[in-house]
Amino acid sequence: MMRRRLGAVALALLLGCAATGCGESHAAADPRSAGQLLDSADRAMKALGSVTITTETAATGGGTVYSGHETTDLKGRCVYKARFRSGAELEQIRTGGTDYIHGNAMYFEMWGRGTVPAMREKPWLKSPVGAARDADGLKDCTWPFTSFGRPAKGARAELDGRPVIPVEVRDKGGESPFAREPGTYTFYVAAEGTPYLLKFDYKGPHIRTTTVFTGFDKPLAVRPPAPADTLDLGTVRNSG
């Protein structure tokens, strides 16, 4: 009788493993290499009609350097909010070849162009996209979904309840489009369904950055502010 029971238990375990894949690594079951995973994620992200990108950067010694939240069509329409370590705060709407810019007092202290008192009389400034300067801190609504370096594939894991496959890239020469300094990147690619890039972490000598991607192909509403709340910079004479 005992032998029969043991045999039944063994058969049940065997059948259960056949159905669920006991002892089989999920990572091993995915035939894609690290490079193929990143390439497929790049293609999936470039094909999106909209995505939300949330970024937090902290100094290795402590303290937030930058936080940003952008919803974009990855072409030329986006809404963006950012806060910088300096205390500067920025809101941007880009649509139809025009930037609408709202900043706090510290932002205008660091403004990359000349200022006049009238710029503080309206909540929003209107300016052509072509007038943007690096010091303005504006977004161009695109994102460099591209692979670089020598990737290494990790074991399948979970990220906020979603199965992912992490891919690590050690950038020794600063060839990444995201940072000028060498560092280590960990990309988290969705393991099931469309292989979206869900998140990546960067660890460099001076900063740590986490970027999260959400809202894949959600409806994108990018509208300019009311004309009554807008000052067209083309109508004022800057002092700088």
Side-chain angles (χ1 to χ4, degrees):
M1 179 67 70
M2 181 63 69
R3 288 182 179 178
R4 289 182 179 177
R5 288 180 179 176
L6 290 174
V9 170
L11 179 59
L13 288 173
L14 179 62
L15 292 174
C17 286
T20 62
C22 294
E24 180 180 328
S25 168
H26 284 293
D30 193 311
R32 293 171 293 179
S33 68
Q36 289 172 331
L37 281 166
L38 289 184
D39 288 344
S40 62
D42 290 341
R43 289 193 297 270
M45 299 302 283
K46 288 177 180 177
L48 286 169
S50 67
V51 66
T52 294
I53 305 168
T54 304
T55 301
E56 296 282 343
T57 298
T60 54
T64 300
V65 175
Y66 163 83
S67 61
H69 184 87
E70 176 186 10
T71 299
T72 174
D73 67 357
L74 298 173
K75 295 176 182 177
R77 297 170 62 241
C78 59
V79 291
Y80 172 58
K81 291 185 179 182
R83 178 177 294 177
F84 304 87
R85 178 166 54 183
S86 63
E89 297 181 10
L90 163 68
E91 291 184 60
Q92 174 196 1
I93 301 170
R94 177 169 286 193
T95 184
T98 301
D99 281 321
Y100 298 90
I101 306 160
H102 173 69
N104 65 358
M106 180 56 69
Y107 175 77
F108 286 112
E109 289 293 327
M110 305 177 69
W111 178 252
R113 322 179 211 180
T115 62
V116 295
M119 291 171 59
R120 291 166 174 79
E121 295 175 2
K122 297 283 188 178
W124 292 90
L125 305 180
K126 178 181 178 181
S127 180
V129 168
R133 302 180 183 179
D134 289 343
D136 296 341
L138 302 179
K139 287 287 187 179
D140 67 2
C141 306
T142 64
W143 189 270
F145 293 112
T146 182
S147 299
F148 61 94
R150 295 183 178 180
K153 181 179 176 181
R156 178 168 166 146
E158 281 197 359
L159 177 68
D160 296 330
R162 296 186 64 172
V164 294
I165 301 176
V167 177
E168 183 176 284
V169 179
R170 296 193 177 187
D171 177 23
K172 297 181 179 180
E175 59 183 304
S176 154
F178 306 106
R180 296 178 180 178
E181 295 182 330
T184 300
Y185 295 81
T186 304
F187 298 89
Y188 297 89
V189 180
E192 297 177 359
T194 304
Y196 291 133
L197 175 62
L198 302 182
K199 174 185 175 182
F200 79 80
D201 293 323
Y202 164 76
K203 294 182 179 181
H206 304 296
I207 62 171
R208 304 285 188 268
T209 297
T210 296
T211 301
V212 177
F213 300 90
T214 57
F216 305 107
D217 272 335
K218 296 295 184 182
L220 179 63
V222 180
R223 299 183 181 89
D229 295 330
T230 303
L231 173 67
D232 188 341
L233 289 182
T235 65
V236 299
R237 185 174 182 178
N238 291 340
S239 62

